[in-house]
Amino acid sequence: MSHYRPLLLGAVLATVPAFAVAQSADTPADDSADSLTEMFTKGATHGTFGVLSYSTHNAYFAKGYHQDTTSYGGYANFYSAPYLGFSFGVGGYVQRGIHRDHDHLVGELGNNQTNIGEAWLRWQGAGFAITAGNQRLNLPFASTEDWRITPNLFQAIDIKYGDADNYLEATKVFRYKTWGAGRFSKTTMYNVDGTVDPDETTSGMWSVSGHGTYHTKGMVWTGDIWHQAYKDYANLDYIQGKGQLDRDGVRPFLAVQMLRGHSNGKTLTARYSNDPEERDAQSHIYGLQTGFDYHSFNLSLGYDHITSHRQGHMRGALVTPYAHNMMSGPLFAQPYFTSTQDLGAGNVYQISTSNAFDDGKLIVGAQYSFMDLVGYNSGDAQYTGKSLNQSEYMGYFIYNFSGALTGFSIGDWFGLQVAQRPDVNHTNFWQNRLAVQYSF
């Protein structure tokens, strides 16, 4: 994962940097305030404004269906300085279209928006940081970091104890605002695409987790453990560990992960499923990742096995209400244009590489992923049992300007997906994403 993030941020634990709509929600002010007035005068305004242009051909394997959409927008947030441990943040988001064909619209850039985004209050002290309100989150499969102009936001209470290397965290999400919505609601991404009835609501989710870092002679070890409960969808348990040589020069690493999903409450994905055999949200995923870092160069190989469950969602795919059709979260093997957990059960492989030049001004990378996954296809009368055999080839570059143009950046992400599944007639799907932005 690239560490060059001042302008362009990556998805959570992903390998490909993205559009910078999702910078950290931490208070940027370095100095504490001595009065209520100084909460404002020592505060800071941060934001991003940019243009995103998407070109998609044979969109998601629909032969002859092309999409071209260009939109502009961004956000501006004010973060106060802390006073007696208290601070606040508030900000607005806007998105507008430039070129739109409403019959061939890229949904991620399709809705004009002008709304209040973040609006939170935080208390920090004795190692705790407690944030309540409309905020960004950085949880597996429930994250704000994304590549769209308007981000996902969560109406939540988040409690964190510790520092960046060692911490405990507890989160309760009450409502959610996807990138395409103008308000917070009790729905999820499964409502957006019709997997679940649009009027079906839930009481959100809660999450508890821990992260640890341990240094030994010549090694650094990190570990994560999570439990998340998505009400009326699924429970998710996730554990991950990584070891890496801690030295100059080549630093090889090895990481493992295990994820388990199981039903919660009504299990809405099963209730509304077109698969007559789907009954629950059982899922088991085992992953392995290896590679090395050398200065700013990274090479990684990732693998995830999704165990087949005949009565599970998509025959064993992970149920992720806030990441459905959006991102693959922390999975080691994941394509860029689609989400691993939305494609079925089986095996996923990935190789990725990136390098930064000129102190991070230029970042280039490439990635290949192969999805040997089987899922129920609602377009077929019966379950086919055939693999997607889907490959994705993608590359990208990001250039961060300096001098008088500091704050400006340009990036391009381009990729091709090829599948041999029976419902796509061997159609190739490709997409290009161009981003030009200014961050302040």
Side-chain angles (χ1 to χ4, degrees):
M1 180 172 67
S2 171
H3 295 282
Y4 296 91
R5 294 196 181 193
L7 300 179
L8 293 140
L9 295 176
V12 178
L13 296 178
T15 57
V16 181
F19 194 65
V21 296
Q23 294 179 356
S24 170
D26 291 341
T27 303
D30 295 327
D31 299 327
S32 296
D34 295 324
S35 65
L36 290 174
T37 300
E38 286 191 351
M39 288 185 72
F40 293 88
T41 59
K42 289 188 175 182
T45 300
H46 286 214
T48 292
F49 183 85
V51 178
L52 275 179
S53 184
Y54 281 30
S55 294
T56 304
H57 289 250
N58 298 325
Y60 300 96
F61 301 105
K63 189 173 183 178
Y65 182 65
H66 309 318
Q67 297 172 305
D68 294 284
T69 304
T70 301
S71 293
Y72 67 91
Y75 70 90
N77 291 329
F78 176 79
Y79 300 127
S80 78
Y83 175 59
L84 300 178
F86 289 94
S87 60
F88 66 87
V90 63
Y93 296 81
V94 63
Q95 177 173 287
R96 291 290 184 271
I98 297 175
H99 169 68
R100 296 187 175 192
D101 180 345
H102 288 280
D103 293 327
H104 300 79
L105 194 67
V106 175
E108 293 92 334
L109 304 178
N111 297 326
N112 286 341
Q113 292 189 48
T114 304
N115 52 59
I116 296 296
E118 296 180 52
W120 50 262
L121 177 68
R122 175 180 297 153
W123 179 81
Q124 289 177 276
F128 284 92
I130 304 173
T131 308
N134 301 341
Q135 59 187 285
R136 308 174 186 191
L137 292 178
N138 189 17
L139 308 177
F141 305 107
S143 170
T144 295
E145 292 198 21
D146 202 2
W147 38 259
R148 300 168 181 89
I149 290 177
T150 53
N152 306 303
L153 294 170
F154 300 84
Q155 192 174 95
I157 296 176
D158 182 76
I159 303 172
K160 197 169 185 178
Y161 176 77
D163 55 31
D165 290 332
N166 299 279
Y167 63 82
L168 299 173
E169 185 171 12
T171 309
K172 169 58 181 175
V173 173
F174 300 96
R175 290 176 175 82
Y176 168 68
K177 190 187 84 65
T178 178
W179 44 264
R183 62 183 180 87
F184 290 83
S185 71
K186 294 184 177 182
T187 60
T188 73
M189 287 302 298
Y190 288 117
N191 300 97
V192 172
D193 76 343
T195 300
V196 170
D197 188 281
D199 296 323
E200 193 78 63
T201 61
T202 77
S203 55
M205 64 88 76
W206 60 267
S207 170
V208 291
S209 66
H211 172 82
T213 304
Y214 182 67
H215 293 267
T216 61
K217 187 175 181 180
M219 291 288 296
V220 57
W221 305 88
T222 58
D224 295 270
I225 184 168
W226 299 81
H227 175 76
Q228 297 177 333
Y230 298 92
K231 294 298 184 180
D232 289 324
Y233 280 101
N235 297 315
L236 170 62
D237 302 309
Y238 161 48
I239 185 169
Q240 181 169 304
K242 179 181 178 180
Q244 183 168 20
L245 286 183
D246 187 15
R247 66 182 188 187
D248 294 331
V250 178
R251 296 182 293 120
F253 61 84
L254 179 68
V256 296
Q257 63 181 190
M258 293 181 288
L259 298 92
R260 173 179 176 260
H262 52 103
S263 299
N264 182 303
K266 300 176 183 178
T267 316
L268 293 175
T269 49
R271 172 179 290 190
Y272 289 95
S273 175
N274 291 320
D275 184 345
E277 295 188 320
E278 184 173 334
R279 296 288 185 273
D280 55 46
Q282 291 294 318
S283 179
H284 294 85
I285 302 177
Y286 307 94
L288 180 69
Q289 186 183 61
T290 187
F292 68 90
D293 296 316
Y294 178 67
H295 300 299
S296 62
F297 177 81
N298 170 269
L299 176 69
S300 66
L301 304 172
Y303 167 75
D304 279 298
H305 172 71
I306 305 173
T307 302
S308 178
H309 289 278
R310 189 170 183 83
Q311 294 185 337
H313 177 62
M314 292 288 291
R315 305 293 164 141
L318 199 65
V319 174
T320 56
Y322 299 136
H324 171 59
N325 282 345
M326 290 179 51
M327 64 179 68
S328 300
L331 295 180
F332 289 154
Q334 49 180 284
Y336 187 62
F337 296 118
T338 49
S339 305
T340 299
Q341 72 273 16
D342 293 318
L343 298 176
N347 301 296
V348 190
Y349 309 86
Q350 177 181 296
I351 179 171
S352 62
T353 184
S354 65
N355 194 25
F357 301 90
D358 195 13
D359 293 328
K361 289 182 181 178
L362 175 64
I363 304 169
V364 296
Q367 176 176 294
Y368 169 75
S369 56
F370 179 72
M371 288 137 280
D372 180 17
L373 298 173
V374 177
Y376 177 78
N377 178 10
S378 60
D380 291 346
Q382 297 292 329
Y383 172 65
T384 65
K386 295 181 180 179
S387 172
L388 296 176
N389 288 323
Q390 184 170 313
S391 293
E392 181 186 89
Y393 310 83
M394 70 87 59
Y396 63 93
F397 78 87
I398 303 163
Y399 187 79
N400 297 313
F401 293 89
S402 60
L405 297 178
T406 296
F408 284 96
S409 62
I410 182 171
D412 195 75
W413 297 258
F414 46 92
L416 169 71
Q417 285 194 351
V418 179
Q420 298 177 12
R421 48 199 262 196
D423 61 319
V424 301
N425 298 318
H426 303 284
T427 298
N428 296 335
F429 150 56
W430 69 268
Q431 187 177 82
N432 187 82
R433 301 174 180 175
L434 174 65
V436 180
Q437 68 177 41
Y438 174 69
S439 296
F440 56 93

